[in-house]
């Protein structure tokens, strides 16, 4: 565990060295919430509710989704890991007692931590400044959502690792990174609440709806699925993704060509 603690510490220091980018990204996320408020104000058109949401709840939905975004986005880490495979840097995992998957998860955790804190701080200030535009969130609901949020973040990182591993087979994987971002954001409910797209036909077994949509509904006190059920579904998907990652990692040394060494 000591080596992975060192990885987390190193990545954390690197994030602090470039913290300006992190804070700017968090500040710009406020504009997403403002735009969401203006857009949905027009859509509501004076109506009290729309698909079970009030305007304040809808605005809060995008506020919370913005806070959770750093836990489900790992673009930089995916690109770095893919570049190591293409450029020969993957060899360090073959000569050192270091698990590529363990490194990926530790680095992902560290890289998400500062953006997460920045997003929570900036968006919380925005909420306090415009309290009337947001719904009230009960702390007990947030506590219930935490296990689901953590499992969702772990699942997101595992799937990201699987996508990065396609570099062993494909020459150019940038389009896959872009595609998975679009698909994940939509299926997770970060773009629009999923009940407005799927209605009651939203499959309970889908892991993506538990990344953003479900935790936000839980924080709003509107979740129809018990937290234990959601956590159980996600835990099953995490174990399946972990098993697949470990299987591919075992085969990786036979497929690595050492280009760039």
């Amino acid at each position: 565990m000591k080596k992975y603690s060192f990885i987390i510490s190193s990545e954390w220091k690197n994030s602090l060295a470039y913290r300006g980018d992190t804070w700017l990204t968090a500040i710009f996320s406020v504009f997403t919430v403002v735009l969401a408020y203006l857009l949905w104000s027009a859509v509501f058109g004076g109506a009290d509710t729309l698909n079970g949401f009030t305007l304040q709840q809808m605005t809060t939905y995008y506020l919370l989704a913005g806070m959770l975004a750093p836990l489900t986005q790992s673009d930089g880490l995916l690109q770095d890991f893919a570049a190591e495979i293409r450029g020969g840097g993957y060899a360090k995992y073959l000569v050192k007692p270091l698990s590529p998957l363990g490194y990926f998860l530790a680095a992902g955790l560290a890289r998400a931590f500062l953006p997460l804190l920045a997003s929570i701080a900036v968006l919380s200030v925005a909420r306090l400044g415009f309290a009337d535009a947001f719904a009230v969130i009960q702390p007990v609901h947030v506590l219930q959502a935490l296990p689901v949020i953590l499992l969702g973040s772990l699942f997101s990182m595992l799937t990201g690792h699987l996508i990065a591993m396609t570099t062993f087979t494909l020459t150019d994987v940038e389009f896959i990174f872009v595609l998975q971002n679009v698909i994940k954001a939509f299926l997770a409910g970060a773009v629009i609440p999923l009940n407005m797209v799927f209605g009651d036909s939203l499959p309970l077994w889908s892991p993506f709806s538990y990344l953003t949509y479900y935790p936000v509904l839980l924080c709003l006190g509107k979740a129809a699925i018990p937290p234990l059920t959601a956590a159980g579904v996600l835990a099953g998907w995490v174990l399946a993704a972990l098993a697949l990652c470990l299987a591919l990692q075992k085969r990786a040394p036979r497929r690595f060509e050492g280009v760039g060494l």
Side-chain angles (χ1 to χ4, degrees):
M1 289 299 296
K2 185 176 181 180
K3 53 190 173 186
Y4 297 112
S5 299
F6 178 77
I7 292 171
I8 293 175
S9 176
S10 298
E11 291 289 343
W12 174 247
K13 291 176 182 177
N14 185 60
S15 297
L16 289 175
Y18 297 95
R19 56 187 178 274
D21 294 342
T22 299
W23 285 104
L24 283 175
T25 301
I27 291 172
F28 279 118
S29 66
V30 175
F31 292 99
T32 302
V33 179
V34 173
L35 289 175
Y37 178 78
L38 295 175
L39 172 64
W40 287 104
S41 294
V43 173
F44 271 75
D48 293 332
T49 61
L50 181 65
N51 278 65
F53 288 91
T54 65
L55 179 58
Q56 288 76 17
Q57 289 174 337
M58 186 65 75
T59 309
T60 307
Y61 182 97
Y62 285 92
L63 177 87
L64 296 175
M67 290 182 179
L68 294 179
L71 295 177
T72 57
Q73 297 173 353
S74 54
D75 296 352
L77 184 58
L78 292 181
Q79 293 169 354
D80 291 347
F81 197 73
E84 286 185 336
I85 296 174
R86 286 195 302 268
Y90 190 83
K92 66 184 179 183
Y93 304 114
L94 305 181
V95 298
K96 295 181 180 180
L98 185 67
S99 166
L101 178 59
Y103 167 82
F104 190 90
L105 295 178
L109 173 66
R111 292 193 186 191
F113 190 66
L114 182 59
L116 175 64
L117 291 181
S119 295
I120 291 175
V122 171
L123 292 173
S124 296
V125 171
R127 185 185 184 283
L128 290 174
F130 302 93
D132 294 339
F134 300 97
V136 176
I137 301 174
Q138 299 297 332
V140 64
H141 293 152
V142 177
L143 291 176
Q144 289 176 340
L146 284 179
V148 179
I149 292 172
L150 293 175
L151 284 170
S153 177
L154 180 56
F155 174 77
S156 184
M157 284 190 287
L158 288 171
T159 54
H161 184 268
L162 289 173
I163 292 172
M165 293 287 280
T166 60
T167 310
F168 283 112
T169 304
L170 302 176
T171 303
D172 185 5
V173 295
E174 291 297 327
F175 77 96
I176 298 181
F177 293 162
V178 175
L179 185 62
Q180 70 96 19
N181 280 337
V182 174
I183 294 176
K184 183 191 292 183
F186 177 74
L187 293 180
V191 178
I192 186 172
L194 295 179
N195 66 327
M196 294 188 171
V197 180
F198 299 101
D200 295 332
S201 62
L202 181 67
L204 300 180
W205 52 264
S206 171
F208 297 101
S209 60
Y210 299 107
L211 301 184
T212 301
Y213 176 69
Y214 177 81
V216 171
L217 286 191
L218 192 56
C219 290
L220 290 173
K222 297 175 64 65
I225 304 171
L228 285 178
T229 300
V233 171
L234 262 181
W237 280 103
V238 165
L239 291 175
L242 179 61
L244 186 54
C245 284
L246 292 174
L248 291 178
Q249 179 176 285
K250 188 175 181 179
R251 295 179 56 190
R254 297 195 297 269
R255 306 188 67 179
F256 181 59
E257 297 178 355
V259 177
L261 293 179

